[in-house]
Amino acid sequence: MRHLDLLAVALKARGWRYVRLYGSGEFAVPVPLLWVYASGVTDDAGVLVSVLATSGGTWGYHDARWGRYGFLAPCGDAKAAAERVDRFLKQRLFPGTW
């Protein structure tokens, strides 16, 4: 959850909205997730981010839909993960401009 909180701070600075899904009883999820979505234009474009173990005993941010194949950045670099999420969402929102 700590890694996702750091990513949330980096994404908030870029203007993205998010919902923390940390298994609070309201959401029955087995792992902590961060739902990042568009603000203003549409609320149906988003990405679900999880934190998974990577080779070498480190942790990494991943697109939860793709699991280990959806690697975004190492957890020590929330800024890089925020840049990847930012680019991904902008491409989905404005496909002709990116």
Side-chain angles (χ1 to χ4, degrees), residues 56-72:
T58 62
W59 295 93
Y61 295 107
H62 292 77
D63 181 335
R65 293 174 306 157
W66 297 101
R68 300 206 184 283
Y69 296 108
F71 179 78
L72 298 169

Side-chain angles (χ1 to χ4, degrees), residues 15-91:
W16 295 108
R17 299 174 73 183
Y18 54 87
V19 176
R20 291 177 175 104
L21 305 173
Y22 293 176
S24 64
E26 181 180 352
F27 304 104
V29 293
V31 296
L33 299 168
L34 186 68
W35 171 244
V36 184
Y37 60 98
S39 60
V41 179
T42 179
D43 285 347
D44 62 355
V47 63
L48 199 56
V49 180
S50 64
V51 171
L52 299 173
T54 61
S55 61
T58 62
W59 295 93
Y61 295 107
H62 292 77
D63 181 335
R65 293 174 306 157
W66 297 101
R68 300 206 184 283
Y69 296 108
F71 179 78
L72 298 169
C75 281
D77 196 354
K79 182 179 176 183
E83 288 173 5
R84 297 280 309 265
V85 169
D86 182 67
R87 190 171 354 140
F88 172 76
L89 289 175
K90 284 180 179 175
Q91 287 173 346

